[in-house]
């Protein structure tokens, strides 16, 4: 069993290891449900791989949200007229109401503090335009990192309940005891992929 501190060596190293990787497969699948390529936000944007993909896919406006400017050098290469790099915690960010055709939150939501999770998640959902798409993951209660202070984990029933006010398009539970982190440490992953529509 690998703890969070053993598996994770800091955001800077994570970004360095993930630079130039292809966009998340789940995001690619979610785009088939987004007929209007208007505005999108990439929550927990990391190395900006998904952000760049959304810009390449023709979104008129893409906001990348992360807690630290760990990919500023990449951000500086993005088209300034269509891209905004916001440095803020998820808890502090003022999600605009009914603003986004797509909210992409790949492996980001578990980093919302459990004391604030429900309120922040409600603001994220409210930031979707009617018919807008939210895609990402929730971490399950059997994940190796489930005891990590300040992170949020959900049972299967809790995950389904959290998404119950949205129209499910895809939902899949993953239990992967032999997978690895980007730092090469073995980790038991337990998470739920989802694509939902407001």
């Amino acid at each position: 069993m690998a703890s969070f501190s053993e598996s994770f060596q800091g955001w800077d190293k994570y970004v360095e290891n993930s630079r130039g990787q292809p966009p998340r497969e789940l995001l690619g699948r979610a785009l088939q449900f987004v007929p209007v390529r208007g505005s999108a936000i990439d929550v927990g944007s990391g190395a900006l791989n998904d952000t760049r993909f959304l810009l390449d896919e023709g979104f008129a406006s893409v906001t990348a949200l992360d807690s630290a400017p760990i990919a500023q050098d990449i951000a500086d290469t993005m088209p300034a007229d269509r891209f905004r790099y916001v440095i803020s915690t998820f808890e502090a960010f003022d999600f605009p109401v009914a603003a986004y055709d797509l909210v992409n939150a790949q492996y980001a939501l578990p980093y919302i503090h459990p004391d604030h999770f429900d309120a922040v998640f409600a603001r994220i959902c409210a930031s979707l335009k009617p018919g807008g798409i939210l895609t990402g993951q929730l971490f399950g209660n059997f994940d190796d990192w489930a005891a990590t202070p300040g992170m949020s984990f959900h049972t299967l029933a809790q995950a389904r309940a959290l998404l119950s006010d949205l129209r499910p398009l895809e939902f899949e539970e993953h239990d992967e005891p032999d997978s690895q982190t980007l730092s090469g440490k073995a980790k038991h992953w337990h998470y739920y992929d989802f694509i939902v529509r407001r």
Side-chain angles (χ1 to χ4, degrees):
M1 176 176 178
S3 70
F4 179 82
S5 59
E6 291 170 338
S7 298
F8 199 81
Q9 300 179 9
W11 293 117
D12 290 339
K13 186 172 182 62
Y14 172 85
V15 169
E16 190 62 35
N17 288 345
S18 61
R19 282 174 186 256
Q21 290 196 358
R24 297 287 186 177
E25 181 182 350
L26 184 66
L27 173 58
R29 296 204 305 272
L31 286 192
Q32 68 180 306
F33 303 111
V34 187
V36 177
R37 304 292 169 89
S39 59
I41 185 169
D42 188 9
V43 177
S45 53
L48 301 179
N49 299 322
D50 286 351
T51 301
R52 187 182 298 279
F53 174 67
L54 293 174
L55 289 166
D56 289 346
E57 284 293 312
F59 277 84
S61 173
V62 180
T63 298
L65 172 65
D66 213 297
S67 60
I70 48 182
Q72 186 64 59
D73 59 328
I74 302 173
D76 291 342
T77 70
M78 301 290 190
D81 59 330
R82 299 169 50 216
F83 168 73
R84 185 167 71 115
Y85 195 32
V86 177
I87 307 306
S88 171
T89 65
F90 306 153
E91 292 88 343
F93 183 66
D94 186 15
F95 287 90
V97 175
Y100 303 116
D101 298 289
L102 172 70
V103 174
N104 180 53
Q106 302 297 315
Y107 298 93
L109 299 175
Y111 297 97
I112 301 171
H113 195 284
D115 290 348
H116 306 288
F117 187 93
D118 288 348
V120 174
F121 188 76
R123 297 205 307 271
I124 289 173
C125 293
S127 75
L128 289 166
K129 295 178 182 179
I133 295 296
L134 169 63
T135 183
Q137 294 78 24
L138 299 166
F139 281 4
N141 55 310
F142 300 123
D143 192 275
D144 267 358
W145 293 346
T148 303
M151 290 184 66
S152 293
F153 300 84
H154 295 82
T155 66
L156 177 60
Q158 289 170 336
R160 290 192 181 279
L162 188 69
L163 300 170
S164 62
D165 289 338
L166 302 162
R167 178 185 170 192
L169 301 171
E170 285 193 22
F171 183 93
E172 185 175 2
E173 182 179 14
H174 298 267
D175 197 348
E176 302 175 355
D178 298 320
S179 296
Q180 291 187 334
T181 67
L182 277 175
S183 62
K185 303 289 186 180
K187 178 183 180 293
H188 183 143
W189 291 92
H190 180 218
Y191 63 96
Y192 318 103
D193 275 337
F194 65 84
I195 303 171
V196 292
R197 186 190 302 278
R198 182 178 179 190

